[in-house]
Each structure stands twice: as structure tokens, then as C-alpha cells.
């Protein structure tokens, strides 16, 4: 997480209103939530306000990624089987 030695420097940790005494779990889950939303269609417009809400949001995003990748995997496997069956009948 961002650390600054001067109070004059703008940093995301101050801009996003992280308090010095916020727990490590809250800061870590905030960072993970941000990183997951960078490559998923999720957004950060409605932001969780405590560590429990943040953990829930991260859990939902990770579950959605797991379900989506399983869906893509099953489609890929079905297409592979279809091509193999087509190749057998073409011989």
C-alpha cells in the first residue's frame, strides 16, 4: 500500500480517505477489490465502508470470475468435442 513521507504530496491513500489506523485487512481488501474491478465489468462507484462489506464485495467478484471462467471452459470443451466429432465423420 502507498506510504508517503510528506504531507504535501498527494497520494491515493490520502485521496481515498484511508485512515492511518484502518486495519491491514481493510487496506488489503480495498486494494484487491480495486485490482479485480480493473479486469472485470465490475465498478467501484458504490464503495464498501468497512472491512466486512469490502470482504463481501471481493468474495462476490471472485465467485463471479469463477462462474464466468467455468462457463467459458464448458463452451470451449463442447466446441472441441464438436470439432472432433466432425473430423471423425468427415473421414
Amino acid at each position: 500500500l502507498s506510504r508517503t513521507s510528506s504531507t504535501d504530496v498527494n497520494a491515493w491513500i490520502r485521496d481515498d480517505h484511508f485512515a492511518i489506523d484502518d486495519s491491514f485487512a481493510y487496506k488489503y481488501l480495498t486494494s484487491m477489490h480495486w485490482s479485480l474491478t480493473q479486469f472485470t465489468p465490475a465498478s467501484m462507484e458504490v464503495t464498501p465502508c468497512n472491512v466486512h462489506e469490502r470482504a463481501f464485495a471481493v468474495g462476490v467478484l471472485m465467485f463471479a470470475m469463477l462462474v464466468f471462467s467455468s462457463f467459458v471452459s464448458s463452451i470451449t470443451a463442447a466446441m472441441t468435442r464438436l470439432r472432433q466429432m466432425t473430423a471423425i465423420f468427415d473421414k
Side-chain angles (χ1 to χ4, degrees):
L1 296 173
S2 173
R3 295 189 188 271
T4 58
S5 59
S6 172
T7 57
D8 297 334
V9 179
N10 287 331
W12 66 269
I13 198 163
R14 239 188 340 276
D15 292 343
D16 289 338
H17 308 292
F18 276 7
I20 298 298
D21 57 346
D22 279 344
S23 70
F24 175 77
Y26 182 76
K27 291 176 184 176
Y28 180 82
L29 289 171
T30 300
S31 300
M32 179 180 266
H33 187 204
W34 178 85
S35 66
L36 289 171
T37 60
Q38 297 308 301
F39 59 91
T40 63
S43 69
M44 291 272 299
E45 291 177 21
V46 178
T47 58
C49 296
N50 58 42
V51 70
H52 302 293
E53 292 174 354
R54 182 76 62 186
F56 179 76
V58 168
V60 168
L61 284 170
M62 293 183 79
F63 177 74
M65 286 175 41
L66 177 70
V67 169
F68 179 73
S69 32
S70 296
F71 178 69
V72 170
S73 174
S74 65
I75 290 175
T76 302
M79 290 299 293
T80 302
R81 282 192 302 261
L82 182 61
R83 287 184 184 196
Q84 289 173 348
M85 289 171 44
T86 304
I88 290 171
F89 289 121
D90 286 344
K91 287 183 180 181

